[in-house]
Amino acid sequence: MLAGVGPASPRHEPAARAAFRLKRRRRVLDGEEYTAFIHEAALRVQFGGPAVLRRQPAGLLDQSERPNGRIRAVPFDVATVPGAGENHTPAAGPIPELDTVQVDLTHGPEFLHHGCELRAYRGVMAAMEQRVMSAEVSRDFIHRVLRKLKG
């Protein structure tokens, strides 16, 4: 999963990251509302080889059909998108002061929760909402990418 992406992780790290991602996926499948921004590069890079690459867009399309989620694509032709250089997951709830942003880094995740950090990431999310494709247009875009991958 993480082999070849960065420096070697401690033995427990890949399993811990996979467990976290599985828990996050379970929450989505259980109906938690979310918006996911997916850069076109992530739709085309071959982590895991061509077979995995073809399954990932198909999975995104399945998720985009669920009523609780929105998949928003960021195509290559969008000049700049704030936050595009990092993978981050904002977690918001009814009490904004308790919100957290998880940033995935090579050495592991960092959790940001200070007011200035939250304001910065809220600004990033608001700017992304304005600059990327709508959920409907994104779905069509992902279909086109998948057709090209299948050849």
Side-chain angles (χ1 to χ4, degrees):
M1 173 176 98
L2 300 173
V5 176
S9 300
R11 180 170 282 165
H12 74 282
E13 188 71 23
R17 288 190 189 193
F20 173 80
R21 288 182 173 102
L22 289 172
K23 285 180 185 178
R24 182 175 59 196
R25 184 172 191 268
R26 172 67 10 219
R27 293 204 53 172
V28 166
L29 293 175
D30 287 345
E32 185 82 23
E33 290 194 23
Y34 69 95
T35 299
F37 296 94
I38 309 292
H39 198 281
E40 182 176 354
L43 296 172
R44 298 180 186 277
V45 70
Q46 290 198 31
F47 282 114
V52 171
L53 180 61
R54 286 188 294 275
R55 281 195 314 266
Q56 288 173 338
L60 289 172
L61 289 169
D62 288 345
Q63 288 297 316
S64 74
E65 300 294 335
R66 299 176 62 85
N68 61 312
R70 297 180 311 142
I71 306 290
R72 307 277 306 270
V74 184
F76 286 134
D77 62 3
V78 171
T80 58
V81 178
E86 62 189 15
N87 183 21
H88 60 276
T89 305
I95 303 171
E97 295 81 12
L98 298 179
D99 292 354
T100 300
V101 175
Q102 175 194 331
V103 181
D104 289 333
L105 301 169
T106 300
H107 64 273
E110 283 199 21
F111 298 93
L112 310 176
H113 50 82
H114 297 291
C116 60
E117 296 165 336
L118 293 174
R119 277 191 300 281
Y121 278 92
R122 287 179 185 130
V124 165
M125 298 305 289
M128 286 181 75
E129 286 276 349
Q130 293 177 354
R131 295 183 183 165
V132 303
M133 297 175 171
S134 70
E136 296 77 21
V137 173
S138 294
R139 193 175 301 115
D140 293 340
F141 179 76
I142 295 168
H143 272 291
R144 288 193 305 274
V145 169
L146 185 56
R147 280 193 299 273
K148 284 183 182 178
L149 291 173
K150 289 182 175 180

PDB file of all heavy atoms in Angstrom, residues 1-5 42 44-53 56:
ATOM      1  N   MET A   1       0.818  -1.190   0.000  1.00  0.00           N
ATOM      2  CA  MET A   1       0.000   0.000   0.000  1.00  0.00           C
ATOM      3  C   MET A   1       0.861   1.251   0.000  1.00  0.00           C
ATOM      4  O   MET A   1       0.708   2.101  -0.837  1.00  0.00           O
ATOM      5  CB  MET A   1      -0.917  -0.042   1.216  1.00  0.00           C
ATOM      6  CG  MET A   1      -1.717   1.211   1.432  1.00  0.00           C
ATOM      7  SD  MET A   1      -2.856   1.043   2.804  1.00  0.00           S
ATOM      8  CE  MET A   1      -1.923   1.828   4.074  1.00  0.00           C
ATOM      9  N   LEU A   2       1.787   1.384   0.962  1.00  0.00           N
ATOM     10  CA  LEU A   2       2.609   2.579   1.049  1.00  0.00           C
ATOM     11  C   LEU A   2       4.019   2.352   0.529  1.00  0.00           C
ATOM     12  O   LEU A   2       4.806   3.278   0.480  1.00  0.00           O
ATOM     13  CB  LEU A   2       2.669   3.070   2.498  1.00  0.00           C
ATOM     14  CG  LEU A   2       1.324   3.445   3.120  1.00  0.00           C
ATOM     15  CD1 LEU A   2       1.502   3.738   4.605  1.00  0.00           C
ATOM     16  CD2 LEU A   2       0.713   4.626   2.419  1.00  0.00           C
ATOM     17  N   ALA A   3       4.357   1.137   0.161  1.00  0.00           N
ATOM     18  CA  ALA A   3       5.705   0.815  -0.288  1.00  0.00           C
ATOM     19  C   ALA A   3       6.069   1.638  -1.513  1.00  0.00           C
ATOM     20  O   ALA A   3       5.283   1.779  -2.440  1.00  0.00           O
ATOM     21  CB  ALA A   3       5.809  -0.670  -0.604  1.00  0.00           C
ATOM     22  N   GLY A   4       7.253   2.198  -1.491  1.00  0.00           N
ATOM     23  CA  GLY A   4       7.745   2.951  -2.636  1.00  0.00           C
ATOM     24  C   GLY A   4       7.262   4.391  -2.689  1.00  0.00           C
ATOM     25  O   GLY A   4       7.670   5.148  -3.558  1.00  0.00           O
ATOM     26  N   VAL A   5       6.406   4.803  -1.764  1.00  0.00           N
ATOM     27  CA  VAL A   5       5.875   6.166  -1.798  1.00  0.00           C
ATOM     28  C   VAL A   5       6.748   7.107  -0.994  1.00  0.00           C
ATOM     29  O   VAL A   5       6.860   8.276  -1.309  1.00  0.00           O
ATOM     30  CB  VAL A   5       4.415   6.200  -1.264  1.00  0.00           C
ATOM     31  CG1 VAL A   5       3.884   7.603  -1.206  1.00  0.00           C
ATOM     32  CG2 VAL A   5       3.533   5.326  -2.131  1.00  0.00           C
ATOM     33  N   ALA A  42      -4.926  11.987  -9.679  1.00  0.00           N
ATOM     34  CA  ALA A  42      -5.238  10.816  -8.856  1.00  0.00           C
ATOM     35  C   ALA A  42      -6.073   9.799  -9.629  1.00  0.00           C
ATOM     36  O   ALA A  42      -6.056   8.616  -9.301  1.00  0.00           O
ATOM     37  CB  ALA A  42      -5.980  11.239  -7.595  1.00  0.00           C
ATOM     38  N   ARG A  44      -5.499   9.091 -12.710  1.00  0.00           N
ATOM     39  CA  ARG A  44      -4.669   8.535 -13.776  1.00  0.00           C
ATOM     40  C   ARG A  44      -3.371   7.882 -13.305  1.00  0.00           C
ATOM     41  O   ARG A  44      -2.772   7.117 -14.036  1.00  0.00           O
ATOM     42  CB  ARG A  44      -4.347   9.629 -14.791  1.00  0.00           C
ATOM     43  CG  ARG A  44      -5.604  10.176 -15.460  1.00  0.00           C
ATOM     44  CD  ARG A  44      -5.249  11.258 -16.470  1.00  0.00           C
ATOM     45  NE  ARG A  44      -6.409  11.890 -17.019  1.00  0.00           N
ATOM     46  CZ  ARG A  44      -7.143  11.431 -18.038  1.00  0.00           C
ATOM     47  NH1 ARG A  44      -6.816  10.297 -18.609  1.00  0.00           N
ATOM     48  NH2 ARG A  44      -8.181  12.079 -18.475  1.00  0.00           N
ATOM     49  N   VAL A  45      -2.904   8.192 -12.102  1.00  0.00           N
ATOM     50  CA  VAL A  45      -1.638   7.639 -11.625  1.00  0.00           C
ATOM     51  C   VAL A  45      -1.828   6.159 -11.289  1.00  0.00           C
ATOM     52  O   VAL A  45      -2.862   5.758 -10.787  1.00  0.00           O
ATOM     53  CB  VAL A  45      -1.084   8.440 -10.421  1.00  0.00           C
ATOM     54  CG1 VAL A  45      -1.918   8.231  -9.185  1.00  0.00           C
ATOM     55  CG2 VAL A  45       0.366   8.105 -10.159  1.00  0.00           C
ATOM     56  N   GLN A  46      -0.828   5.343 -11.590  1.00  0.00           N
ATOM     57  CA  GLN A  46      -0.978   3.893 -11.508  1.00  0.00           C
ATOM     58  C   GLN A  46      -0.406   3.300 -10.221  1.00  0.00           C
ATOM     59  O   GLN A  46       0.444   2.424 -10.260  1.00  0.00           O
ATOM     60  CB  GLN A  46      -0.333   3.232 -12.723  1.00  0.00           C
ATOM     61  CG  GLN A  46      -1.097   3.490 -13.982  1.00  0.00           C
ATOM     62  CD  GLN A  46      -0.727   2.516 -15.076  1.00  0.00           C
ATOM     63  OE1 GLN A  46      -0.379   1.370 -14.816  1.00  0.00           O
ATOM     64  NE2 GLN A  46      -0.808   2.980 -16.309  1.00  0.00           N
ATOM     65  N   PHE A  47      -0.900   3.731  -9.059  1.00  0.00           N
ATOM     66  CA  PHE A  47      -0.556   3.041  -7.817  1.00  0.00           C
ATOM     67  C   PHE A  47      -1.284   1.710  -7.849  1.00  0.00           C
ATOM     68  O   PHE A  47      -2.494   1.657  -7.958  1.00  0.00           O
ATOM     69  CB  PHE A  47      -1.011   3.836  -6.582  1.00  0.00           C
ATOM     70  CG  PHE A  47      -0.112   4.983  -6.249  1.00  0.00           C
ATOM     71  CD1 PHE A  47      -0.568   6.279  -6.349  1.00  0.00           C
ATOM     72  CD2 PHE A  47       1.188   4.756  -5.836  1.00  0.00           C
ATOM     73  CE1 PHE A  47       0.262   7.342  -6.045  1.00  0.00           C
ATOM     74  CE2 PHE A  47       2.021   5.816  -5.528  1.00  0.00           C
ATOM     75  CZ  PHE A  47       1.558   7.110  -5.631  1.00  0.00           C
ATOM     76  N   GLY A  48      -0.550   0.619  -7.804  1.00  0.00           N
ATOM     77  CA  GLY A  48      -1.175  -0.692  -7.813  1.00  0.00           C
ATOM     78  C   GLY A  48      -1.349  -1.292  -9.195  1.00  0.00           C
ATOM     79  O   GLY A  48      -1.841  -2.398  -9.329  1.00  0.00           O
ATOM     80  N   GLY A  49      -0.982  -0.558 -10.249  1.00  0.00           N
ATOM     81  CA  GLY A  49      -1.060  -1.098 -11.597  1.00  0.00           C
ATOM     82  C   GLY A  49      -2.362  -0.788 -12.310  1.00  0.00           C
ATOM     83  O   GLY A  49      -3.291  -0.213 -11.744  1.00  0.00           O
ATOM     84  N   PRO A  50      -2.436  -1.167 -13.592  1.00  0.00           N
ATOM     85  CA  PRO A  50      -3.591  -0.815 -14.436  1.00  0.00           C
ATOM     86  C   PRO A  50      -4.934  -1.352 -13.944  1.00  0.00           C
ATOM     87  O   PRO A  50      -5.951  -0.669 -14.043  1.00  0.00           O
ATOM     88  CB  PRO A  50      -3.243  -1.423 -15.799  1.00  0.00           C
ATOM     89  CG  PRO A  50      -1.768  -1.636 -15.775  1.00  0.00           C
ATOM     90  CD  PRO A  50      -1.394  -1.846 -14.344  1.00  0.00           C
ATOM     91  N   ALA A  51      -4.959  -2.552 -13.398  1.00  0.00           N
ATOM     92  CA  ALA A  51      -6.240  -3.120 -12.939  1.00  0.00           C
ATOM     93  C   ALA A  51      -6.810  -2.305 -11.781  1.00  0.00           C
ATOM     94  O   ALA A  51      -8.005  -1.999 -11.749  1.00  0.00           O
ATOM     95  CB  ALA A  51      -6.060  -4.576 -12.530  1.00  0.00           C
ATOM     96  N   VAL A  52      -5.950  -1.924 -10.841  1.00  0.00           N
ATOM     97  CA  VAL A  52      -6.383  -1.092  -9.714  1.00  0.00           C
ATOM     98  C   VAL A  52      -6.815   0.275 -10.233  1.00  0.00           C
ATOM     99  O   VAL A  52      -7.839   0.818  -9.805  1.00  0.00           O
ATOM    100  CB  VAL A  52      -5.254  -0.958  -8.668  1.00  0.00           C
ATOM    101  CG1 VAL A  52      -5.605   0.068  -7.604  1.00  0.00           C
ATOM    102  CG2 VAL A  52      -4.959  -2.303  -8.040  1.00  0.00           C
ATOM    103  N   LEU A  53      -6.055   0.807 -11.172  1.00  0.00           N
ATOM    104  CA  LEU A  53      -6.373   2.119 -11.732  1.00  0.00           C
ATOM    105  C   LEU A  53      -7.763   2.130 -12.356  1.00  0.00           C
ATOM    106  O   LEU A  53      -8.497   3.103 -12.227  1.00  0.00           O
ATOM    107  CB  LEU A  53      -5.315   2.524 -12.766  1.00  0.00           C
ATOM    108  CG  LEU A  53      -5.504   3.877 -13.431  1.00  0.00           C
ATOM    109  CD1 LEU A  53      -5.466   4.994 -12.401  1.00  0.00           C
ATOM    110  CD2 LEU A  53      -4.439   4.096 -14.477  1.00  0.00           C
ATOM    111  N   GLN A  56     -10.589   2.048  -9.416  1.00  0.00           N
ATOM    112  CA  GLN A  56     -10.768   3.227  -8.577  1.00  0.00           C
ATOM    113  C   GLN A  56     -11.802   4.207  -9.139  1.00  0.00           C
ATOM    114  O   GLN A  56     -12.701   4.628  -8.401  1.00  0.00           O
ATOM    115  CB  GLN A  56      -9.423   3.908  -8.327  1.00  0.00           C
ATOM    116  CG  GLN A  56      -8.573   3.082  -7.379  1.00  0.00           C
ATOM    117  CD  GLN A  56      -7.176   3.609  -7.214  1.00  0.00           C
ATOM    118  OE1 GLN A  56      -6.656   4.329  -8.059  1.00  0.00           O
ATOM    119  NE2 GLN A  56      -6.547   3.241  -6.117  1.00  0.00           N
TER     120      GLN A  56
END
